[in-house]
């Protein structure tokens, strides 16, 4: 039986795809739905969703029709400036309010007949955006890997594998980022391609960060602190 924490992680990540002029998928990333101050938001990271492509939520596969996408318009990005040097840098965080009806599903599709074998709705998280990680709690995330185009019902579909990673140990916070030790040897950046923006959640249920990067030398993974950027999200949802 799947551990409840693993199941929570498995249903926490929203699959995002970028599309080109032909509307064919060109890239993948991750995000999460959050319920915050009565609004439904999608959170992700700037280095993925801010690359100039058109990004969409891959909501579900519809037999004989293909992938159903919800296009994301008006994604919010942040920059910060050093008042002493006037240097301006991007903040690796993105956020956008989405309609209440927005959804995404975790589906298993039979490759032989293109039928949906099982499906579950991806969950909506309810963070305070005030919590940081601690050394007493183990953390985890799920992300999209091994993207490929396949034919289902005569339609091109982007197929990805969802993997769940647990046992991350909090190491430190440096600036805007929380650092975690992986419980295994870092398999290389290509392995985690598509995980950018995935929510990092503790076994205590707290959402603390979004996956940004990692190091093969130190077996570390880091994520942008949500606590650090609570204020701009507050401004969005409160209409200040």
């Amino acid at each position: 039986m799947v551990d409840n924490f693993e199941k929570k992680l498995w249903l926490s990540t929203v699959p995002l795809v970028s599309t080109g002029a032909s509307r064919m998928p060109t890239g993948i990333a991750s995000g999460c739905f959050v319920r915050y101050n009565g609004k439904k938001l999608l959170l992700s990271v700037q280095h993925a969703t801010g690359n100039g492509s058109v990004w969409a939520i891959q909501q579900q596969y519809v037999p004989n029709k293909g992938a159903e996408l919800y296009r994301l318009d008006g994604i919010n990005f942040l920059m910060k400036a050093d008042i002493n040097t006037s240097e301006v840098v991007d903040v690796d965080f993105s956020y956008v309010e989405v309609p209440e009806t927005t959804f995404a599903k975790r589906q298993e599709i039979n490759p032989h007949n293109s039928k949906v074998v099982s499906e579950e709705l991806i969950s909506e998280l309810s963070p305070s955006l005030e919590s940081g990680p601690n050394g007493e709690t183990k953390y985890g995330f799920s992300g999209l890997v091994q993207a490929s185009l396949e034919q289902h019902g005569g339609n091109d579909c982007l197929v990805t594998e969802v993997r769940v990673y647990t046992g991350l140990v909090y190491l430190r916070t440096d600036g805007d980022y929380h650092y975690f030790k992986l419980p295994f040897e870092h398999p290389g950046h290509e392995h985690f391609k598509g995980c950018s923006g995935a929510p990092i959640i503790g076994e205590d249920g707290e959402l603390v960060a979004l996956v940004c990067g990692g190091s093969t030398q130190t077996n570390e993974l880091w994520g942008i602190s949500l606590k650090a950027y609570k204020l701009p999200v507050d401004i969005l949802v409160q209409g200040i």
Side-chain angles (χ1 to χ4, degrees), residues 51-135:
N51 65 359
S53 298
V54 175
W55 283 89
I57 296 170
Q58 183 168 292
Q59 295 190 292
Q60 63 179 338
Y61 165 71
V62 180
N64 302 316
K65 291 185 178 180
E68 183 177 295
L69 304 179
Y70 173 78
R71 178 172 171 169
L72 294 167
D73 293 314
I75 301 176
N76 298 285
F77 304 107
L78 301 171
M79 302 181 77
K80 62 180 181 180
D82 187 316
I83 59 174
N84 296 314
T85 65
S86 298
E87 181 185 12
V88 178
V89 296
D90 292 324
V91 173
D92 205 1
F93 178 55
S94 64
Y95 57 106
V96 62
E97 184 176 353
V98 294
E100 291 294 330
T101 53
T102 309
F103 69 92
K105 293 179 180 178
R106 187 74 68 230
Q107 294 175 301
E108 180 186 356
I109 300 168
N110 186 322
H112 303 295
N113 59 19
S114 299
K115 301 257 183 176
V116 176
V117 177
S118 65
E119 61 182 21
E120 289 190 67
L121 284 171
I122 290 172
S123 304
E124 201 178 82
L125 306 173
S126 299
S128 66
L129 300 187
E130 295 179 343
S131 297
N134 64 78

Side-chain angles (χ1 to χ4, degrees), residues 4 9 14 37 67 154 172 183 185 214:
N4 285 339
L9 295 173
V14 174
N37 278 8
R172 65 189 182 280
E185 185 176 343

